Amino acid sequence: MQETRLDTARIRAARRVIDPQFLDTPLYRCEALEPALGCAVSIKLETANPVRSFKARGTELVASLLAEHGPQAVVCASAGNLGQALAWSGRGRGLDVTVVASRCATAAKLDRIRALGARLELVDGDHETARERAAAIARHDGIRLLEDSLDLETCEGAATIGLELADSAPSFDTVLIALGGGALATGIGHVLKALAPGVEVVCVQPLGAPALTRSWHRRRVVTTDSADTIADGVAGRHPIPAVLDDLLLVADDAVLVQETSIISGMRLLLAHAGLVVEPSAALGIAAVLEDRARFAGRHIATVVCGSNVDLDSYHRWIGMGG
């Protein structure tokens, strides 16, 4: 395999830095889901931790490195989950954390960022606008800018999930991974290609936010003018070239799914797995629902990557027909 930006030895070393609360998360066969999906299903659950998403695996690395040099300041743009994770990791290490987010971000995520003690700045526009503002703050104040998926700590932190999945391979044939900025997919994909190359790596993105998937298929960066999806955690419009280069090396496929399938996936995870998840976490189930024939008779693992969801919106989605 050609080399990505990631390093398996560094990923193994990351496990010694990350708070154990975020490691060795449950991976289990969920037989109750299988009649509806027509295949064997294992769930890798990344929501049973203090920030209810996988993001702290990466922010633990960032915060640890920054704290080695005494009190530091750091800023990031976030749709919500990265900001919570950075606030959590920074709080315990004396870091001054600023999070920039869209005013349209999920209110529950923004409330939690504030509760964790980070400075929160809201901007008009979407996540790409927040990224621009965070970069401007970093330049003006001379502080560390954390860029999700571009900064290797975010990818290699997420890649520790891959180590845990590889320990269980070859019990499953395919792993389905939510695709947004790319840290989760490139991290897990890197490890599986190195340690369990027989496992198919399939990335899943909403049809309403297709930039990185289209980029993967065309093998060049494709941007979009807008993003329209309930899966706010993966609603980027401007893929990062270095991330695309890595994704091209580790992903076997990248697929797009409709909003109705995402909602159906959320409903199935609640009804048959007892899991309340945010839309991004249901993308893997949505992919199976849209192409049952492809996965029939196979054993898939899906990464349930976050459960930070606005409950009013959640109840509205789950109550919808479809």
Side-chain angles (χ1 to χ4, degrees):
M1 187 182 82
Q2 289 179 259
E3 291 188 0
T4 69
R5 296 176 301 143
L6 286 71
D7 179 81
T8 304
R10 282 199 308 263
I11 294 164
R12 292 189 186 280
R15 286 182 53 87
R16 299 193 293 270
V17 176
I18 298 168
D19 189 304
Q21 294 181 88
F22 302 105
L23 296 172
D24 301 313
T25 52
L27 173 64
Y28 59 94
R29 178 90 175 260
C30 187
E31 293 185 16
L33 276 170
E34 295 174 3
L37 298 178
C39 61
V41 180
S42 286
I43 287 173
K44 181 62 169 166
L45 188 63
E46 292 295 312
T47 63
N49 62 57
V51 299
R52 291 166 40 176
S53 82
F54 76 95
K55 294 287 190 180
R57 291 182 184 247
T59 60
E60 284 287 278
L61 297 186
V62 173
S64 295
L65 290 170
L66 284 172
E68 288 177 0
H69 305 288
Q72 300 285 321
V74 58
V75 60
C76 75
S78 176
N81 286 348
L82 179 70
Q84 287 182 73
L86 185 59
W88 192 93
S89 296
R91 184 179 66 174
R93 295 174 175 86
L95 303 183
D96 181 4
V97 176
T98 299
V99 178
V100 184
S102 167
R103 296 186 193 280
C104 299
T106 300
K109 295 180 180 182
L110 300 180
D111 289 343
R112 189 62 185 149
I113 291 169
R114 294 186 185 98
L116 288 166
R119 182 181 301 106
L120 180 63
E121 179 173 326
L122 301 180
V123 297
D124 296 321
D126 63 8
H127 182 64
E128 300 301 340
T129 308
R131 285 178 61 188
E132 294 170 2
R133 177 56 183 157
I137 291 172
R139 288 192 301 269
H140 182 270
D141 295 348
I143 62 175
R144 167 69 188 270
L145 171 65
L146 174 60
E147 285 207 70
D148 200 11
S149 303
L150 177 61
D151 288 3
L152 276 178
E153 298 97 330
T154 62
C155 302
E156 293 183 341
T160 59
I161 300 171
L163 294 177
E164 296 163 21
L165 287 167
D167 284 343
S168 296
S171 62
F172 51 88
D173 308 299
T174 300
V175 62
L176 295 162
I177 309 170
L179 185 61
L184 186 64
T186 58
I188 293 175
H190 170 92
V191 172
L192 291 180
K193 290 308 172 191
L195 303 181
V199 174
E200 182 186 31
V201 176
V202 178
C203 306
V204 190
Q205 199 164 36
L207 186 61
L212 192 47
T213 295
R214 288 181 178 171
S215 299
W216 185 87
H217 283 281
R218 298 181 189 178
R219 305 188 70 83
R220 61 176 177 83
V221 170
V222 176
T223 62
T224 60
D225 292 331
S226 62
D228 183 16
T229 177
I230 62 171
D232 60 306
V234 294
R237 297 188 289 109
H238 295 163
I240 298 168
V243 177
L244 174 60
D245 290 343
D246 290 341
L247 194 68
L248 287 169
L249 295 174
V250 304
D252 295 299
D253 199 3
V255 300
L256 298 172
V257 295
Q258 300 178 63
E259 299 293 290
T260 53
S261 299
I262 298 171
I263 292 168
S264 294
M266 294 169 69
R267 189 180 295 131
L268 285 172
L269 285 166
L270 176 64
H272 300 300
L275 297 175
V276 174
V277 303
E278 60 188 87
S280 300
L283 286 168
I285 301 298
V288 179
L289 288 172
E290 291 204 3
D291 198 353
R292 285 182 174 88
R294 172 179 180 170
F295 299 104
R298 309 196 73 186
H299 186 165
I300 66 102
T302 185
V303 181
V304 175
C305 55
S307 63
N308 291 297
V309 63
D310 177 78
L311 286 180
D312 288 339
S313 297
Y314 181 83
H315 290 145
R316 186 171 67 252
W317 296 326
I318 294 303
M320 292 172 63

